[in-house]
Amino acid sequence: MTTAPAPLTARVPGSKSITNRALLLAAAAHGVTRLHAPLISEDTLAFRTALTDLGIRVSGTDECWEVTGRGDGPVGDARVWCADAGTAARFLPPFAAAGRGTFVFDGTEQLRARPLRPLVDALTGLGAELDTVSGGVLPLTVRANGLAGGEITLDSSFSSQYLTGLLLSAPLMRAPLTVRAEGLVSRPYIEMTRSLMHHFGARTRQDGEGAIRVLPGGYTAAELGIEPDASTASYVFAAAAVTGGSVTVPGLGTGSTQGDLGFVEVLRRTGAHVETTASATTVTGRAGGALTGGFDVDMGDISDTFMTLAAIAPLADAPITIRGIGHARLKESDRIEAVARNLRACGIRTEQGPDRITVHPGRPAGARIACYRDHRIAMAFSVLGLRVGGITLDDPACVGKTFPGFHEELRRLFPDHTTPQGI
């Protein structure tokens, strides 16, 4: 009888999604909020800096950030640099529009390529005065005099972040906001947003037709502990599956607000053993890292983790098809095409459509992985590199966007396996 390996405890940093939402909620709240164990990464530091550009005071240590809220939107004129942070570009313009002044938002070339049109149209419909270049991208100028509220329909087929941005600032509007989100993707992120809004005292409800209504009244400061990032945890969970090891992530349990924890249920379909308790989740791989394929899975609600599955899918015993991920073509990179190209470079056959990819089993060869400045591409293919020698990353440092210590943690957890090296 084979003895199951003892689980290793992974050090997964705080959730980016929770950290950045909580930063904005704290900035809008009355009083001082303490955020415990925030994620310290390029994206969250960019979001924090953008808030200070808007006049919000954020202080404290890496273990606890203290945010002194305004109790309203920002006032004055400011230029706001969003760097590469899509959440900053999508969450902060509604916050600025709820205030008073002129605010100019800009970011890197990569961020300038990401669409903002649905958000621009929605804010214009709520009474904001906006200037943007053709196509609705950064740079974006907001001439703010508060937002009236009302009823709008929002195209949410590209990203759920447009809806989140509107919801977060809705309690600062003069009247209730009702949003009907058409084609909503990544729905669990909206439930996370509403849960955090309620934690800070907002009142929201969803009607039978799917519309979300938010009442005015602002926010109240609150203590909040940031749980580990479920999207980031997908890499160490997948690594356990492909190495036949066992990894536990404390703080990610049955009460998590992060939909991406659902990735472990996909790993269960590959044959991994999964145990989720109130306080932690553990994934244990089968002997030799054997994976079962031959299934079709819709990952539209957890699309940030589809690359984790796709990168290890060649190790399965039959093809795996991932669907519902068309909006992933509009992230930091065209993630479907980026995954397909890198797998082809490893000698693996793939097929793709507008919103899907099929990965066939094979014997991956070492290759230079093109990261496209996309942290999730780099981390996903690093997991494949635990089983395939000769995998290198052209931009290993891009993981700093969400997990600056990723490579070191992977080596600590799996010292007997090869980990990719940058060139």
Side-chain angles (χ1 to χ4, degrees):
M1 180 176 178
T2 303
T3 303
L8 301 169
T9 300
R11 299 188 292 237
V12 174
S15 164
K16 181 188 81 168
S17 298
I18 295 177
T19 298
N20 282 354
R21 283 164 173 78
L23 276 170
L24 190 147
L25 291 166
H30 291 277
V32 177
T33 289
R34 292 176 179 83
L35 304 178
H36 300 278
L39 171 63
I40 310 297
S41 74
E42 291 173 5
D43 261 20
T44 58
L45 293 175
F47 200 103
R48 172 177 167 159
T49 299
L51 278 177
T52 62
D53 291 342
L54 291 170
I56 304 300
R57 184 172 180 267
V58 185
S59 60
T61 66
D62 286 355
E63 288 71 37
C64 179
W65 287 352
E66 293 189 354
V67 185
T68 303
R70 285 190 44 82
D72 204 346
V75 174
D77 298 340
R79 298 189 67 86
V80 182
W81 180 250
C82 300
D84 271 343
T87 50
R90 291 164 175 176
F91 296 175
L92 294 178
F95 178 52
R100 285 165 178 77
T102 299
F103 308 97
V104 180
F105 294 87
D106 205 354
T108 62
E109 288 302 314
Q110 185 187 55
L111 191 59
R112 282 185 171 193
R114 298 177 68 178
L116 284 176
R117 175 56 63 191
L119 182 63
V120 169
D121 291 346
L123 287 173
T124 301
L126 293 170
E129 184 182 344
L130 307 177
D131 292 332
T132 184
V133 297
S134 175
V137 295
L138 294 180
L140 172 67
T141 299
V142 180
R143 295 182 178 83
N145 191 30
L147 292 173
E151 296 189 10
I152 61 169
T153 298
L154 178 70
D155 179 359
S156 301
S157 60
F158 295 144
S159 172
S160 65
Q161 290 180 358
Y162 309 129
L163 178 57
T164 285
L166 290 173
L167 294 177
L168 290 171
S169 292
L172 307 181
M173 297 180 191
R174 292 186 286 271
L177 174 69
T178 300
V179 186
R180 289 175 174 80
E182 292 187 336
L184 179 61
V185 296
S186 304
R187 188 177 299 274
Y189 283 100
I190 300 306
E191 295 311 308
M192 173 200 293
T193 297
R194 293 179 63 205
S195 176
L196 288 168
M197 291 170 65
H198 297 163
H199 184 78
F200 283 81
R203 295 168 292 168
T204 80
R205 70 170 186 266
Q206 189 163 350
D207 67 22
E209 298 180 353
I212 299 174
R213 182 175 174 84
V214 184
L215 300 181
Y219 295 107
T220 302
E223 299 268 335
L224 182 68
I226 310 295
E227 65 187 35
D229 193 297
S231 307
T232 298
S234 75
Y235 309 112
V236 296
F237 288 143
V242 303
T243 61
S246 186
V247 171
T248 296
V249 177
L252 271 182
T254 52
S256 174
T257 61
Q258 298 177 76
D260 279 2
L261 185 55
F263 176 75
V264 297
E265 296 306 316
V266 181
L267 283 180
R268 195 192 299 274
R269 296 182 66 177
T270 71
H273 176 74
V274 177
E275 181 183 5
T276 302
T277 67
S279 60
T281 296
T282 300
V283 171
T284 303
R286 293 190 293 177
L291 300 181
T292 299
F295 61 86
D296 187 310
V297 59
D298 188 326
M299 297 183 74
D301 281 347
I302 57 171
S303 62
D304 276 350
T305 65
F306 100 81
M307 291 156 289
T308 318
L309 177 63
I312 65 172
L315 305 176
D317 60 5
I320 294 175
T321 296
I322 305 169
R323 299 186 182 276
I325 53 173
H327 55 287
R329 293 188 182 277
L330 300 169
K331 297 281 190 173
E332 283 86 339
S333 63
D334 177 341
R335 286 177 165 170
I336 298 176
E337 176 62 21
V339 166
R341 285 185 180 180
N342 283 316
L343 286 174
R344 286 197 297 271
C346 295
I348 298 300
R349 183 162 66 95
T350 68
E351 300 157 8
Q352 60 173 295
D355 75 337
R356 66 170 180 86
I357 185 170
T358 297
V359 181
H360 292 267
R363 300 185 64 178
R368 179 177 184 268
I369 300 301
C371 297
Y372 301 97
R373 292 184 58 211
D374 190 332
H375 54 134
R376 301 210 181 280
I377 297 294
M379 289 190 276
F381 279 88
S382 292
V383 177
L384 179 64
L386 294 173
R387 285 276 300 272
V388 178
I391 295 281
T392 61
L393 307 177
D394 71 351
D395 184 12
C398 70
V399 300
K401 186 174 175 70
T402 49
F403 192 174
F406 172 77
H407 299 299
E408 293 76 14
E409 181 65 0
L410 206 62
R411 284 193 289 269
R412 184 187 74 83
L413 290 170
F414 304 99
D416 296 331
H417 293 265
T418 302
T419 53
Q421 302 296 313
I423 57 175

